[in-house]
Amino acid sequence: MGRNVIRRKSIEPRSPSAADRDARDGGVQSVDRALSILETLSEDDEGYRLSDLAVRTGLSASTVHRLLATLESRRFVQFDRAESKWHVGVRSFTVGASFARRRNFSAQAIPYLRKLRDLTRETANLAVVDDEFIIVLTRMESREIMRSLTQVGGRVPMVTSGVGKAVLATYSDEDVGAVIRHHGMPRLTEKSIVRPSDLFKELEKIRKQGYALDDEEACMGLRCVAAVVYNACAEPLAAISVSGMTSRLTDQRLPEIGQIVRDVAAELTAALGGAIPTPR
């Protein structure tokens, strides 16, 4: 007598349902909103109240509170109960620090930033380009009174900073034009460069003298002198700069400061195994 065999019914692959798609899209939206909250919190060390975060992000207070609770449980944000304000948490720092670690030249640059600060008596900065923005990786603070426009980890458009213009001077005119089209040329002060033709003239001057100057173009009362650090392919790897008040970075001192910044950038380039490109 033959045995009864239970045959398993073949199962067709299930196509994603509307509910599945909604859940997936909702998850992506939540991640996007959580990242928007983190980016907003990073803009101000004073922190934000829940209502302010809702206004800044364009989200409802209930949505912001729900996302903050999740981020707090993972220590990406923290709540100051005394002031009823939310701040960036320690996990945001540890995750973000991997960005600097991946660019392992940061540690090697420290002695050169210290030298730059001591020679000029001004704050020395190390920055890189990320998605057509300048990001400050680290700095050596001046012992003088200083107002810092950009914090470590802060992002600024390339056309509005000395470091950005130093890097732009290594680009072709076509690439510079693409940056202008993407981000515009905002007028931050009465001395900001807002015409492409003026920017191209400035970049040509930077190529000849080997350093860039932000002459109160981002903030009145502040100047920045910058030069590029190159990699082994003679391409811009990073840039260093000194920044200080116009009362100290005077017209008379600028040529001397520019020469110092250019020389230290060349020294750091050599220390990193880089190569300075031959003049065009």
Side-chain angles (χ1 to χ4, degrees), residues 8 31 35 40 45 119 125 128 132 136 151 172 178 192 201 217 244 246 258 275 279:
R8 301 181 68 178
V31 171
L35 292 175
T40 302
D45 292 342
L119 287 174
N125 312 281
V128 295
E132 298 181 354
V136 179
Q151 300 174 338
S172 67
S192 296
K201 290 179 183 177
E217 297 157 39
T246 53

Side-chain angles (χ1 to χ4, degrees), residues 161-172:
S161 71
V163 169
K165 289 195 295 180
V167 176
L168 283 175
T170 69
Y171 288 11
S172 67

Side-chain angles (χ1 to χ4, degrees), residues 49-68:
R49 289 185 170 82
L50 176 63
S51 58
D52 295 329
L53 270 176
V55 172
R56 287 295 309 277
T57 60
L59 303 173
S60 68
S62 60
T63 297
V64 172
H65 186 269
R66 173 174 56 82
L67 293 172
L68 284 171

Side-chain angles (χ1 to χ4, degrees), residues 181-239:
R181 288 194 298 274
H182 292 163
H183 303 289
M185 300 183 69
R187 183 184 293 278
L188 302 183
T189 74
E190 62 187 36
K191 300 184 72 173
S192 296
I193 298 175
V194 295
R195 294 184 178 86
S197 60
D198 292 338
L199 178 61
F200 284 117
K201 290 179 183 177
E202 180 75 6
L203 296 180
E204 189 58 36
K205 179 180 178 182
I206 293 167
R207 294 178 186 120
K208 291 178 180 178
Q209 65 189 15
Y211 63 88
L213 171 64
D214 164 11
D215 188 10
E216 300 183 275
E217 297 157 39
C219 180
M220 294 302 295
L222 293 181
R223 277 176 165 167
C224 173
V225 183
V228 174
V229 176
Y230 296 92
N231 64 17
C233 298
E235 298 171 337
L237 172 69

Side-chain angles (χ1 to χ4, degrees), residues 104-105 108 112 228-238 263-278:
N104 55 12
F105 58 82
Q108 293 175 266
Y112 296 90
V228 174
V229 176
Y230 296 92
N231 64 17
C233 298
E235 298 171 337
L237 172 69
D263 290 348
V264 174
E267 292 174 13
L268 180 54
T269 293
L272 296 174
I276 297 176
T278 56

Side-chain angles (χ1 to χ4, degrees), residues 34-55:
L35 292 175
S36 176
I37 290 172
L38 282 175
E39 289 173 349
T40 302
L41 287 174
S42 71
E43 294 173 358
D44 193 337
D45 292 342
E46 296 297 320
Y48 285 92
R49 289 185 170 82
L50 176 63
S51 58
D52 295 329
L53 270 176
V55 172

